[in-house]
Amino acid sequence: MTVAAAKKSGNGKPSSKHNIEAVRQAFYERIAKHDMTPLWKVMSSIISKEPVSRCVPVIWHYDDVKSLVMESGGLISTEEAKRRVLILENPALRGESRATNTLFAGIQMILPGEIAPAHRHAAAAIRFVLDGEGAYTAVEGEKAFMSPGDFVITANWAPHDHGNTSKKPMLWLDVLDVPTVNFFETSFTENFDEPTQETTRKDGDSLAFYGSGVLPDGTAAMNHTPVINYTYARTRPIVARMLQSGDIDRRHGARVRYANPVTGGPVLPTMSAWLAMLPKGFRGEPYRSTDGTVFACAEGRGTTNVDGKVLEWGPRDVFVVPSWKPYFHTAAEQSVLFSISDRPAQQALGIWREAK
Ligand SMILES: [Fe+2]
């Protein structure tokens, strides 16, 4: 029986609920052979009333992470691995190499004397340094030596290599827009013949040239920041000063956004980052936004309550707040939180929202 026939039977209405359901099911099976499916069966799940994140709130405690990452150092060299990274996978997205729906996160370690060879890729990356002192990342001709709390930028297609000339292991948080790039199916990678790139600029040149309220004359705007390393030594005193002056956001604490100093825009077109100092005893007001966010604790101790789940964090812990989940921070002692999300990508598309 066709749908039309079912409708015309009897008093013009479907002869019975059972019959019309059977007819519909037969129709769905027939159109499936043509790779088609009815929108009305999936409408509410693909066009939801509000964001429904596939992610869950999660925290990785540094004590666990460090011992496991150190163990990986005995299993594989950086030369063999190219990048010795343990991926932080959201428990709800296991096997997908991502911490949020759009962001990759991992802990990278480089041992004394090792070199992570030069390459570049369409995905943009940042490093937030957790542990160690004196390893470097060379990016676009600048060799940046890193210290805990430093925020290092590797823009889309920027050649980069890492080396550890210090005597201690160096660990940092990598965050990349890999899932975003792969969503668009635009991944490219290129390895270089030479393991390290020629550097022409001194450590700190880009921060001095572009991040000091002046710009080299004739600087043209780019869609990513020209600063390679936003050092903790420069940024921490700014949020401390904001805290002292009472410039404290009731939700986020004394917080700065890392900016492209040429345009004032985000550091990367796909990712934006912040550094916040929370005073001792801080209890933030609830907040939510559509950008799922990766946090790293640089200093202090506190909690983040994510939709009723309490994440207890301390130094170097990394945690995730999914899209649109309400959250608030508390700080048991003065604390510093780094955070990063895909907000600029959402804003460029006109789909970003926030709410209390
Ligand atoms: Fe890379």
Side-chain angles (χ1 to χ4, degrees):
M1 193 189 297
T2 64
V3 174
K7 282 186 173 174
K8 284 176 183 169
S9 64
N11 59 4
K13 294 179 180 171
S15 56
S16 74
K17 195 171 181 211
H18 176 76
N19 277 355
I20 188 63
E21 282 305 323
V23 171
R24 284 175 181 168
Q25 194 54 44
F27 176 69
Y28 302 154
E29 287 168 17
R30 205 146 46 79
I31 66 171
K33 292 174 186 155
H34 298 271
D35 298 315
M36 298 168 79
T37 195
L39 171 62
W40 58 88
K41 296 284 281 182
V42 295
M43 179 98 96
S44 61
S45 61
I46 64 168
I47 309 178
S48 57
K49 191 167 184 293
E50 291 194 340
V52 180
S53 179
R54 298 197 301 139
C55 307
V56 292
V58 57
I59 186 163
W60 291 270
H61 293 290
Y62 188 68
D63 285 349
D64 303 328
V65 164
K66 184 172 185 181
S67 63
L68 295 169
V69 171
M70 292 304 294
E71 200 176 328
S72 76
L75 295 176
I76 192 162
S77 69
T78 285
E79 280 79 0
E80 189 182 350
K82 306 285 191 222
R83 297 293 186 268
R84 190 198 291 107
V85 177
L86 295 188
I87 302 171
L88 304 178
E89 282 196 327
N90 194 285
L93 304 174
R94 293 305 314 279
E96 297 191 29
S97 303
R98 63 184 81 187
T100 73
N101 203 40
T102 59
L103 299 180
F104 165 104
I107 304 295
Q108 182 161 173
M109 179 179 68
I110 183 161
L111 290 168
E114 287 190 323
I115 289 171
H119 69 185
R120 60 179 168 181
H121 32 70
I126 67 89
R127 337 270 163 212
F128 186 73
V129 180
L130 299 175
D131 209 351
E133 183 88 44
Y136 68 83
T137 290
V139 186
E140 294 185 296
E142 179 166 325
K143 190 183 259 190
F145 285 89
M146 301 180 286
S147 299
D150 286 1
F151 173 53
V152 178
I153 303 290
T154 306
N156 164 318
W157 210 237
H160 55 283
D161 51 273
H162 314 292
N164 188 348
T165 50
S166 81
K167 292 189 164 48
K168 286 185 172 175
M170 184 103 186
L171 290 89
W172 63 77
L173 170 70
D174 280 324
V175 179
L176 288 88
D177 56 13
V178 165
T180 308
V181 169
N182 287 344
F183 174 78
F184 287 110
E185 299 183 328
T186 52
S187 177
F188 293 92
T189 306
E190 189 171 79
N191 294 305
F192 293 93
D193 295 334
E194 296 296 320
T196 55
Q197 65 183 281
E198 289 286 321
T199 50
T200 53
R201 292 201 305 209
K202 291 180 193 160
D203 183 13
D205 272 1
S206 66
L207 184 60
F209 295 164
Y210 300 99
S212 306
V214 295
L215 294 172
D217 203 16
T219 298
M222 296 185 291
N223 74 349
H224 67 268
T225 178
V227 176
I228 300 303
N229 185 3
Y230 293 81
T231 64
Y232 200 54
R234 283 276 295 269
T235 314
R236 188 191 186 282
I238 298 168
V239 288
R241 194 166 177 146
M242 287 173 71
L243 192 77
Q244 283 166 6
S245 68
D247 190 357
I248 303 170
D249 184 280
R250 291 197 298 259
R251 303 156 304 175
H252 307 300
R255 190 169 82 154
V256 290
R257 175 175 61 83
Y258 294 95
N260 175 342
V262 183
T263 65
V267 289
L268 293 161
T270 50
M271 294 186 281
S272 194
W274 297 261
L275 194 76
M277 185 172 276
L278 313 179
K280 181 178 180 179
F282 182 76
R283 183 184 171 90
E285 293 184 359
Y287 178 76
R288 64 177 167 171
S289 59
T290 52
D291 45 325
T293 304
V294 177
F295 287 86
C297 171
E299 297 175 32
R301 288 196 179 277
T303 67
T304 298
N305 184 311
V306 189
D307 203 18
K309 180 172 180 177
V310 179
L311 307 176
E312 284 189 43
W313 42 259
R316 305 183 184 97
D317 292 350
V318 176
F319 60 97
V320 166
V321 174
S323 166
W324 210 236
K325 296 289 186 203
Y327 69 93
F328 64 89
H329 302 303
T330 70
E333 54 191 73
Q334 180 174 286
S335 302
V336 178
L337 289 178
F338 169 83
S339 60
I340 182 161
S341 80
D342 64 5
R343 184 173 300 187
Q346 293 193 20
Q347 288 177 322
L349 297 172
I351 53 177
W352 179 77
R353 286 200 200 188
E354 64 179 344
K356 289 178 184 171

Short mmCIF file of all heavy atoms in Angstrom, two decimals, residues 83 108 117 119-121 123 125 127 154 158 160-162 176, ligand 1:
data_model
loop_
_atom_site.label_atom_id
_atom_site.label_comp_id
_atom_site.label_asym_id
_atom_site.label_seq_id
_atom_site.Cartn_x
_atom_site.Cartn_y
_atom_site.Cartn_z
N ARG A 83 57.27 13.46 17.54
CA ARG A 83 56.82 14.24 18.69
C ARG A 83 56.39 13.22 19.75
O ARG A 83 55.50 12.41 19.51
CB ARG A 83 55.61 15.13 18.35
CG ARG A 83 55.88 16.20 17.31
CD ARG A 83 56.85 17.26 17.82
NE ARG A 83 57.01 18.38 16.90
CZ ARG A 83 57.95 18.45 15.96
NH1 ARG A 83 58.80 17.46 15.77
NH2 ARG A 83 58.05 19.55 15.21
N GLN A 108 53.51 16.98 25.82
CA GLN A 108 54.74 16.66 25.09
C GLN A 108 55.93 16.73 26.03
O GLN A 108 56.00 17.63 26.88
CB GLN A 108 54.93 17.63 23.91
CG GLN A 108 56.16 17.32 23.10
CD GLN A 108 56.17 17.93 21.70
OE1 GLN A 108 57.16 17.84 21.00
NE2 GLN A 108 55.06 18.51 21.28
N PRO A 117 62.24 17.09 15.22
CA PRO A 117 62.66 17.67 13.95
C PRO A 117 61.65 18.64 13.33
O PRO A 117 60.45 18.59 13.62
CB PRO A 117 62.85 16.44 13.06
CG PRO A 117 62.09 15.34 13.70
CD PRO A 117 62.05 15.63 15.16
N HIS A 119 59.12 20.56 11.08
CA HIS A 119 58.03 20.27 10.14
C HIS A 119 57.04 21.42 10.19
O HIS A 119 57.20 22.38 10.95
CB HIS A 119 57.38 18.91 10.46
CG HIS A 119 56.58 18.86 11.73
ND1 HIS A 119 56.01 17.71 12.22
CD2 HIS A 119 56.23 19.84 12.63
CE1 HIS A 119 55.36 17.96 13.33
NE2 HIS A 119 55.47 19.24 13.60
N ARG A 120 56.03 21.33 9.35
CA ARG A 120 54.93 22.30 9.43
C ARG A 120 53.66 21.61 8.99
O ARG A 120 53.69 20.59 8.30
CB ARG A 120 55.21 23.53 8.56
CG ARG A 120 55.38 23.26 7.09
CD ARG A 120 55.63 24.57 6.37
NE ARG A 120 56.07 24.37 5.00
CZ ARG A 120 56.37 25.38 4.19
NH1 ARG A 120 56.26 26.63 4.59
NH2 ARG A 120 56.77 25.14 2.96
N HIS A 121 52.54 22.18 9.41
CA HIS A 121 51.25 21.57 9.09
C HIS A 121 50.17 22.63 9.06
O HIS A 121 50.33 23.74 9.60
CB HIS A 121 50.90 20.45 10.07
CG HIS A 121 51.40 20.65 11.47
ND1 HIS A 121 50.88 21.61 12.29
CD2 HIS A 121 52.38 20.02 12.16
CE1 HIS A 121 51.52 21.54 13.46
NE2 HIS A 121 52.44 20.61 13.41
N ALA A 123 47.42 22.54 10.58
CA ALA A 123 46.88 22.79 11.92
C ALA A 123 47.77 23.78 12.66
O ALA A 123 48.99 23.69 12.59
CB ALA A 123 46.79 21.47 12.69
N ALA A 125 49.12 25.42 16.28
CA ALA A 125 49.43 24.84 17.59
C ALA A 125 49.81 25.92 18.58
O ALA A 125 50.29 26.99 18.20
CB ALA A 125 50.58 23.83 17.46
N ARG A 127 51.76 26.04 22.66
CA ARG A 127 52.34 25.32 23.80
C ARG A 127 52.08 26.16 25.04
O ARG A 127 52.27 27.38 24.99
CB ARG A 127 53.86 25.14 23.68
CG ARG A 127 54.40 25.20 22.28
CD ARG A 127 54.44 23.88 21.61
NE ARG A 127 54.58 24.07 20.17
CZ ARG A 127 54.07 23.24 19.28
NH1 ARG A 127 53.35 22.20 19.67
NH2 ARG A 127 54.24 23.44 18.00
N THR A 154 52.50 28.60 17.39
CA THR A 154 52.94 28.05 16.10
C THR A 154 51.74 28.14 15.16
O THR A 154 50.82 27.33 15.22
CB THR A 154 53.38 26.57 16.24
OG1 THR A 154 54.37 26.48 17.27
CG2 THR A 154 53.98 26.07 14.94
N ALA A 158 53.46 27.26 9.89
CA ALA A 158 54.73 27.82 10.35
C ALA A 158 55.72 26.68 10.63
O ALA A 158 55.41 25.77 11.40
CB ALA A 158 54.52 28.63 11.62
N HIS A 160 58.40 24.59 12.46
CA HIS A 160 58.77 24.59 13.88
C HIS A 160 59.53 23.33 14.24
O HIS A 160 59.26 22.26 13.70
CB HIS A 160 57.55 24.77 14.77
CG HIS A 160 56.46 23.76 14.54
ND1 HIS A 160 55.61 23.82 13.47
CD2 HIS A 160 56.09 22.66 15.24
CE1 HIS A 160 54.76 22.81 13.51
NE2 HIS A 160 55.03 22.07 14.58
N ASP A 161 60.49 23.50 15.14
CA ASP A 161 61.21 22.37 15.72
C ASP A 161 61.48 22.68 17.17
O ASP A 161 61.42 23.84 17.60
CB ASP A 161 62.50 22.07 14.94
CG ASP A 161 63.38 23.30 14.75
OD1 ASP A 161 63.17 24.03 13.76
OD2 ASP A 161 64.26 23.54 15.60
N HIS A 162 61.73 21.62 17.94
CA HIS A 162 61.98 21.79 19.37
C HIS A 162 63.31 21.13 19.71
O HIS A 162 63.70 20.13 19.10
CB HIS A 162 60.90 21.10 20.22
CG HIS A 162 59.50 21.37 19.76
ND1 HIS A 162 58.91 22.60 19.87
CD2 HIS A 162 58.56 20.55 19.23
CE1 HIS A 162 57.67 22.53 19.41
NE2 HIS A 162 57.44 21.29 19.01
N LEU A 176 46.13 21.94 19.70
CA LEU A 176 46.07 22.17 18.26
C LEU A 176 44.62 22.15 17.79
O LEU A 176 43.76 21.51 18.41
CB LEU A 176 46.85 21.08 17.49
CG LEU A 176 48.38 21.13 17.58
CD1 LEU A 176 48.86 20.33 18.79
CD2 LEU A 176 49.03 20.60 16.31
FE FE B 1 54.08 20.20 14.84
#
